[in-house]
Amino acid sequence: MMGKKFWMVLLVLVFLAGGGFYAWHRHALSVSEENRDVQDLSNMYEAEKETEQAVNQFRKDPGAKKARIIHPLSDTGNHVYLYFDGLPDRAMTEEILKVLDKKEAKAAFFVEGQNAGDSPETMKEISKHRQMIGNYTWLGRPSLEKLDEEKAIRSLLRTQKAVDTLTGKSPSFFRAPRTEYTDTLLEEAGAAGLSYAVLSNVTVRRGELADEEAARKLAAGVKPGSLIAFEINRPLDMRAREPGKSDERPAIDKKPTIRDGDYKEKTERKDHTAEEVERLVSALEEEGFTLLSLDSDVLLSGLK
């Protein structure tokens, strides 16, 4: 009797051990597959061939295509143009899109290429809501005009490729923080397939519009035709040294935003950015302004 009981217990233990190994093996395969997909996705945005071709064309004929600068306009139609510098995380993006839908307002999202690649669902949400997506360089890199031609073109082209891959459309507009749009940079942007560089004459930072009064005060100083930049992500703190391609991959704590995978964790922490956006849009409406898209005929027809 004891012998039979012993063998039954042993059989159960073997079964449990086998099941545990199978579960561990399945998990290991899943993690391996996930990591492989991430690596493959990253490689999709390298754009080395496109960069080589664009750099060669730029060196051959720098002025073949040159991005044009969009300045604030003297607009008697009481139109203004709102855009966000940096891709918000998914939770914030969804809340901002709800505000824009509710207000029937247009805006643009200037996204970092790396963040776009890390957040495909966020990109799809913006595209689904028919809001414009612009190029904010690969990392939202300041002083883009100080990069050599190859690095600047690569930063723009990688972002072009990421956005096109995720949404089916390459941006025509770009911005770069704290950057002077020199003739050379505009020619580099043209070589990367971009048509317009966007300036701003009003900047709003997160936390500035804590109440309606602050929003009304800001809106009261806005002029027709203003280009309003709402700063989502702070520009990178670039070091004095200029490394090679590795400068396109910052330390994790320097990365401007989070991945789609962090969505659940992020939604558990209350963020008030969307509330500030709603205060701003409401205050602008009270001043009689209409928010138009950057690609509207009203704005583009006024270019010199």
Side-chain angles (χ1 to χ4, degrees), residues 89-250:
D89 62 67
R90 184 175 169 190
M92 189 191 302
T93 299
E94 291 185 352
E95 293 303 311
I96 291 174
L97 290 171
K98 287 179 184 177
V99 170
L100 297 175
D101 286 348
K102 174 183 174 182
K103 293 291 187 179
E104 297 183 352
K106 287 295 184 180
F109 291 78
F110 283 89
V111 305
E112 305 93 339
Q114 179 178 294
N115 287 342
D118 285 341
S119 309
E121 294 304 317
T122 304
M123 295 293 292
K124 291 174 184 176
E125 279 297 305
I126 298 172
S127 182
K128 184 174 73 174
H129 286 260
R130 299 185 181 278
Q131 300 292 352
M132 178 189 286
I133 297 174
N135 186 321
Y136 201 51
T137 79
W138 184 248
L139 293 174
R141 195 217 191 275
S143 303
L144 188 64
E145 81 281 3
K146 295 181 181 179
L147 281 185
D148 68 48
E149 59 199 33
E150 184 172 347
K151 289 178 181 177
I153 291 174
R154 177 183 293 110
S155 180
L156 294 169
L157 266 176
R158 292 186 73 189
T159 305
Q160 292 290 91
K161 191 167 186 177
V163 175
D164 181 61
T165 300
L166 296 169
T167 69
K169 184 178 180 180
S170 295
S172 296
F173 298 74
F174 89 98
R175 279 177 58 77
R178 302 172 189 168
T179 289
E180 179 184 356
Y181 296 138
T182 62
D183 287 340
T184 299
L185 178 57
L186 294 174
E187 290 165 353
E188 291 166 350
L194 290 150
S195 300
Y196 305 101
V198 183
L199 294 175
S200 63
N201 63 314
V202 178
T203 299
V204 182
R205 293 178 176 83
R206 291 166 64 186
E208 282 188 10
L209 307 181
D211 53 42
E212 284 77 7
E213 183 58 33
R216 290 192 188 101
K217 183 177 180 180
L218 185 143
V222 172
K223 297 179 180 179
S226 285
L227 303 173
I228 305 171
F230 197 113
E231 188 177 278
I232 296 293
N233 299 325
R234 61 183 176 83
L236 289 176
D237 180 17
M238 304 304 293
R239 304 305 176 187
R241 184 174 73 90
E242 286 290 353
K245 296 180 185 178
S246 60
D247 68 347
E248 296 292 352
R249 198 77 188 177

Side-chain angles (χ1 to χ4, degrees), residues 54-115:
V55 169
N56 289 338
Q57 179 60 38
F58 170 79
R59 290 171 177 168
K60 181 180 178 181
D61 186 4
K65 184 180 178 183
K66 182 177 178 181
R68 302 170 69 185
I69 299 177
I70 293 183
H71 299 269
L73 300 177
S74 298
D75 187 342
T76 57
N78 270 18
H79 303 121
V80 292
Y81 308 87
L82 173 66
Y83 39 86
F84 302 97
D85 281 345
L87 178 64
D89 62 67
R90 184 175 169 190
M92 189 191 302
T93 299
E94 291 185 352
E95 293 303 311
I96 291 174
L97 290 171
K98 287 179 184 177
V99 170
L100 297 175
D101 286 348
K102 174 183 174 182
K103 293 291 187 179
E104 297 183 352
K106 287 295 184 180
F109 291 78
F110 283 89
V111 305
E112 305 93 339
Q114 179 178 294
N115 287 342

